Amino acid sequence: MSTFVDIHVIQSVPPSCVNRDDSGSPKSAVYGGVRRLRVSSQSWKRATRLHFIDHLDTSDLGTRTKRVVKVLAEAITSQAPDLEDRAIALAEDVFKAAKIKLTAPRGNKQGAPQESGYLLFLSRSQVDRLADLAIAAERGGTSLEAKEVKKIFKEEHAVDVSLFGRMVADDADLNVDAACQVAHAISTHAAENEYDFFTAVDDEKNRSEEEDAGAGMMGTVEFASATMYRYATVNIDLLKMNLGDGQAALHALEAFVSGFCLSMPTGKQNTFANRTLPEMIMVTVREDQPVSLVGAFETAVPANAGDGYLGRSIQALAQYATSIESAYGMRPAASFVVSLIDSDAVASLGERLTFTDLPAQVSQVLASRVLDEENA
């Protein structure tokens, strides 16, 4: 039986456009028969990965790029400067041995290294080990063994690779199953997009001297605001398997809880300065299955002038969680809450903590299971 960590977040986002579609509009979705503001899971996963950069050692993280030949060639050159002239060819040989197809970069830039046909997610450790393998083969005058190359692809995964997974279109055997799933965030209530008309003044024009003095540019920016429900779940057993170590899995979980809760997608942030923190976070440890509580908002929280959506959103979440437990007999093994407001609804959701204590407290609950099994 697997153990899951569910993260539920209620967060108000002011006028903003953190995640837009191909036309520049804030993303949206119809749920419960009404239009909601939406932020895609990909957008918040990217924001979480950027948070990792500032809070984890670079050796714990991966790089996701099509320019895998360039990245590996740089690692080869760093470890063996005398092989700089051969580095690109050696790097290409590594990926060919792994059956990963390489193509010329877009635009066929003269002399540019080949690229993979899709984004490839590799840990820094894997890049260094592949470089070691290529150097050893070159110095020994031997050919690269596909088995040895693939073995490196399957070991020592980075924290972000272990959490978010890796798909290799050319060889499914090199895939990494994601230990984490992230839902699209949606507003708990009906939300419509609005428009901001803006102008930019040309500082070098003088209104008294030129007929066209004034706005040098004008246009519109689409935006929206909402109280949102965000959800993610982590399979701690799969995370441990991906990382190969129980303590590393707990460390990665703590980083994810912190990163997912505190991060914010960066779309139009200079225009709107929309950085907020969640008003309520609930983290549950489950030994049955992941359970999203988005059904609490299938009936959109109604508008009520002067009262906002926050308190009623938390109340709807608490009532729905209680209904799930009553109807299915499914209770979390542990539940912790961080909240900016006090209410009976918040009190019913779990043990109250400060955010600084939350990741470590969740990790402590899981430690006996994760580490005891490791030492058994």
Side-chain angles (χ1 to χ4, degrees):
M1 179 182 296
S2 294
T3 300
F4 303 92
V5 177
D6 285 355
I7 306 171
H8 310 269
V9 175
I10 299 292
Q11 183 168 0
S12 294
V13 181
S16 57
C17 186
V18 298
N19 184 211
R20 55 189 184 271
D21 61 20
D22 57 349
S23 67
S25 303
K27 289 185 177 180
S28 64
V30 174
Y31 182 63
V34 299
R35 178 71 56 183
R36 316 292 184 105
L37 178 64
R38 175 174 64 92
V39 178
S40 71
S41 58
Q42 297 92 328
S43 179
W44 231 300
K45 283 190 282 189
R46 170 67 175 169
T48 302
R49 288 185 59 221
L50 292 177
H51 185 275
F52 288 166
I53 293 173
D54 295 327
H55 295 83
L56 291 176
D57 191 280
T58 54
S59 63
D60 291 329
L61 299 175
T63 182
R64 187 178 64 174
T65 181
K66 291 182 177 181
R67 298 179 176 180
V68 288
V69 172
K70 178 177 178 290
V71 169
L72 182 54
E74 289 173 349
I76 292 171
T77 300
S78 175
Q79 296 179 36
D82 59 303
L83 295 178
E84 181 177 4
D85 293 341
R86 289 273 298 143
I88 290 178
L90 294 176
E92 290 176 349
D93 288 344
V94 168
F95 292 106
K96 289 175 182 177
K99 307 301 182 185
I100 294 173
K101 296 177 183 177
L102 301 174
T103 60
R106 185 176 296 180
N108 290 316
K109 297 178 182 178
Q110 189 68 29
Q114 293 190 86
E115 299 179 356
S116 56
Y118 44 85
L119 293 171
L120 194 59
F121 213 172
L122 292 171
S123 73
R124 306 296 172 92
S125 171
Q126 289 169 337
V127 171
D128 289 341
R129 291 178 63 200
L130 289 170
D132 288 338
L133 190 64
I135 292 168
E138 176 68 6
R139 297 207 191 285
T142 59
S143 299
L144 287 166
E145 294 288 339
K147 185 177 181 180
E148 293 180 358
V149 174
K150 290 187 176 184
K151 184 174 183 291
I152 292 174
F153 270 84
K154 297 177 183 181
E155 297 175 342
E156 297 185 22
H157 298 304
V159 167
D160 43 3
V161 177
S162 298
L163 282 164
F164 302 124
R166 177 178 69 207
M167 188 188 78
V168 179
D170 297 321
D171 189 348
D173 192 42
L174 301 182
N175 289 351
V176 178
D177 291 332
C180 167
Q181 298 174 357
V182 178
H184 288 233
I186 63 167
S187 62
T188 64
H189 52 87
E192 297 294 336
N193 293 342
E194 301 180 70
Y195 295 86
D196 173 44
F197 171 74
F198 68 88
T199 62
V201 176
D202 189 327
D203 294 339
E204 291 299 317
K205 288 186 177 181
N206 188 311
R207 182 177 296 276
S208 63
E209 297 178 358
E210 300 189 43
E211 292 184 2
D212 64 342
M217 182 178 69
M218 61 181 64
T220 57
V221 175
E222 207 166 347
F223 68 92
S225 62
T227 295
M228 308 199 77
Y229 170 72
R230 299 166 48 205
Y231 169 75
T233 184
V234 178
N235 182 330
I236 191 64
D237 299 285
L238 180 54
L239 182 59
K240 176 183 173 181
M241 184 177 73
N242 285 348
L243 288 168
D245 178 77
Q247 194 62 58
L250 295 177
H251 176 62
L253 176 67
E254 290 183 25
F256 179 76
V257 171
S258 178
F260 179 70
C261 293
L262 298 183
S263 62
M264 174 71 73
T266 57
K268 291 286 185 180
Q269 63 179 3
N270 291 342
T271 302
F272 293 102
N274 51 265
R275 290 300 296 256
T276 62
L277 291 173
E279 280 80 9
M280 195 281 296
I281 301 166
M282 178 174 68
V283 178
T284 59
V285 178
R286 310 193 66 97
E287 296 179 339
D288 38 36
Q289 67 178 61
V291 180
S292 169
L293 299 179
V294 69
F297 311 111
E298 197 275 339
T299 297
V301 172
N304 185 10
D307 191 27
Y309 294 106
L310 180 60
R312 284 172 292 156
S313 295
I314 294 176
Q315 184 176 10
L317 185 77
Q319 290 174 345
Y320 190 77
T322 299
S323 298
I324 290 288
E325 292 179 11
S326 175
Y328 289 91
M330 298 168 62
R331 294 183 59 86
S335 184
F336 304 102
V337 180
V338 175
S339 179
L340 298 185
I341 66 174
D342 293 312
S343 68
D344 291 339
V346 170
S348 72
L349 288 172
E351 179 183 348
R352 192 79 173 266
L353 298 174
T354 64
F355 185 77
T356 53
D357 294 332
L358 178 63
Q361 190 65 38
V362 174
S363 183
Q364 183 177 330
V365 169
L366 292 165
S368 58
R369 174 186 175 93
V370 174
L371 300 180
D372 285 353
E373 285 187 353
E374 190 174 71
N375 297 327

